[in-house]
Amino acid sequence: MQFLRPLQVESTPYTRLCKTKNILTVNGQFPGPTLYVNKGDEVFVKAQNQAQYNITLHWHGVKQERNPWSDGPEYITQCPIQPGKNYTYRFEFTVEEGTLWWHAHSDWARATVHGAIIVYPNPGTAYPFTMPDGEVPIILGEWWETNVMDISRDANQTGGAPKLSDAYTINGQPGFLYPCSQQETFKMLVSPGRRYLLRIINAVMNEELFFSVSQHPIILVGTDGSYVKPLPTDYIMITPGQTMDVLLEANQPPNLYPMASRAYSSAIGVGFDNTTTTAILQYDGPLPHPSSPPIPTLPSYNDTQASINFTKGLRSLADDQHPINVPLQIDTHLFFTISVNLVNCTDNPCKGPFGKRFAASMNNVSFVAPPSIDILRAYFYGIRGIYDQDFPSYPPETFNYTGDDLPENLLATGFGTKVKMLEYNASVELVLQGTNVLVGIDHPVHLHGYSFYVVGWGFGNFDPTKDPLGYNLVDPPEETTVGVPKNGWVALRFRADNPGVWLMHCHLERHQSWGMGMVFIVKNGVGPGAQMLPPPPDLPNC
Ligand code: C2O
Ligand code: CU
């Protein structure tokens, strides 16, 4: 059992892009402190809110077995921690191993309130690869010159798209392409001939990213707290929410090698931050003069093929020490469409296209969080009228989901606080179908409380007869966040063995703000090991 140092959320002056402003930080750090744990550890984290905003913290990728009370999404599993108040999160690392992360799960606070979680193997067990000589978290972030909390508020008021960011960052710095960041650009120091583990986290708000290191091929060995079969590659594509562990051999002539990251933005006509963030891989010892190889070539921002070429190589390690358990008999089939929508504005025209307001939906329900109590508490205490249990298992209307020139009436969506009830131990197959309503784009979908196996994916409309024949049931990757390809689908499988209230949402923050999410309630099973734990005494009130 570990009592970690309290995490204090506070407002701290911070300099980026040559400007100093106050941002929300944890313990005065940006990115926030790294949590180091071993598999099997139970931790207690006291969160003290010294900021002027409501805050919650989420432990992204931690299963929170039977304990949704520590999961964190505001108004889903807890009321936010109000300014001046505390809450202690308690959780165990039961099966996760590798890199996870934590972030605020209230409004847009996660832009700066986030940090790495490193889960080492159980004492007595080892990595399934040669022990690296060193390791370093690489946290990819997104930076606005203005207060992010104002950006989300403004977008919500006008109904338009939120303002684009001003830079991406690597470990808090935009990098040497920004004169004011040159001195402070993140440097990873390496010794020739050594081998390093990079724990890469996409903590960006609104874009998937390509990432690469100049003249250093890398080997992917883990994603989302699970191991994968070693995958050699020149670049990765990582979605917001995902973590990727990669090995790097420092086997090049000593020099300063740039690493770089920039957007993979698959949608046509959708604005995005088209800047590049950099850091430096610096060999120790004498360096040549003039030095510095060029910035690595990254795929172009709209290179969907490059994204797929990387992603399709992901396989679970699936060896004797790391067995997998893909459900083979399915009793619960679900099919959810994911769409970006436009809805009419009530009084003044909105700032979205055609004077309308952006919305987003799953199965044509745009998720609305309850205003003054969380769904978990309402469920546990049987408080009525907070949510409805009728989230549809299939879209209300069948159409050519990925077709061009879809009829205009499809742009609209309904709104609601709907949950999908799942029986304990249900064996679930969930197909997430991207649509071309308004615009086709990749959606990184994250499920709380679970990991899932990505058994299949494809472009176009999912075909329930043909596509399952191509499923990988042998070594599908195990993930907690999956990129649903632009105008395509993914098929996920998991066993609903974790009772509780679990949010699933797009990890593009703007889509989540527009309602691209839903909630599963997994019922209790029989016996104490299959029941949700009772609430802790210090649960915040709304
Ligand atoms: Cu990483 Cu619901 O979030
Ligand atoms: Cu999305």
Side-chain angles (χ1 to χ4, degrees), residues 338 340 441-444 506-508 511 516:
I338 318 176
V340 181
I441 183 173
D442 257 56
H443 297 285
C506 180
H507 220 291
L508 298 183
H511 289 178
M516 191 176 277

Side-chain angles (χ1 to χ4, degrees), residues 31-50:
T34 301
L35 266 51
Y36 298 91
V37 300
N38 282 97
K39 186 172 174 176
D41 278 358
E42 178 180 26
V43 304
F44 291 80
V45 183
K46 181 172 184 182
Q48 304 176 328
N49 185 1
Q50 302 184 345

Side-chain angles (χ1 to χ4, degrees), residues 335-502:
F335 183 87
F336 296 175
T337 53
I338 318 176
S339 301
V340 181
N341 305 91
L342 283 180
V343 295
N344 291 329
C345 285
T346 31
D347 8 277
N348 300 322
C350 282
K351 291 244 170 83
F354 318 115
K356 297 190 183 215
R357 158 176 287 276
F358 279 110
S361 60
M362 290 186 171
N363 276 354
N364 228 37
V365 184
S366 186
F367 183 78
V368 181
S372 56
I373 184 177
D374 53 284
I375 294 179
L376 174 57
R377 200 176 326 212
Y379 169 61
F380 187 81
Y381 292 106
I383 302 166
R384 291 172 173 279
I386 306 299
Y387 61 88
D388 298 312
Q389 300 194 355
D390 58 352
F391 186 88
S393 299
Y394 291 90
E397 193 180 340
T398 315
F399 60 98
N400 176 9
Y401 307 111
T402 53
D404 291 323
D405 303 316
L406 294 171
E408 226 184 282
N409 65 309
L410 291 173
L411 278 178
T413 177
F415 291 83
T417 310
K418 294 181 186 298
V419 310
K420 174 75 201 165
M421 304 298 294
L422 291 175
E423 295 301 324
Y424 181 77
N425 245 342
S427 164
V428 182
E429 178 174 303
L430 167 60
V431 175
L432 297 171
Q433 173 73 60
T435 78
N436 204 26
V437 170
L438 191 60
V439 68
I441 183 173
D442 257 56
H443 297 285
V445 175
H446 172 50
L447 173 60
H448 288 224
Y450 286 89
S451 58
F452 47 72
Y453 295 101
V454 184
V455 297
W457 65 273
F459 291 113
N461 300 334
F462 174 71
D463 180 333
T465 359
K466 286 205 201 105
D467 285 324
L469 302 176
Y471 282 174
N472 174 4
L473 301 174
V474 178
D475 58 0
E478 184 176 354
E479 300 179 10
T480 67
T481 306
V482 64
V484 180
K486 172 190 175 180
N487 286 328
W489 56 272
V490 294
L492 317 175
R493 287 189 175 187
F494 63 96
R495 183 169 293 282
D497 55 5
N498 189 14
V501 172
W502 306 112

Side-chain angles (χ1 to χ4, degrees), residues 58 60 101 103 105 241 446 448 503 505 507 512:
H58 168 55
H60 183 116
W101 63 301
H103 62 77
H105 215 301
H446 172 50
H448 288 224
L503 177 62
H505 62 90
H507 220 291
Q512 195 195 345

Side-chain angles (χ1 to χ4, degrees), residues 4 7 29 34 39 164 222 265-266 283 328 382 442 455 457 493 508 518:
L4 299 174
L7 296 185
Q29 289 169 247
T34 301
K39 186 172 174 176
L164 297 181
S265 179
S266 59
Y283 280 68
L328 298 177
D442 257 56
V455 297
W457 65 273
R493 287 189 175 187
L508 298 183
M518 55 78 66

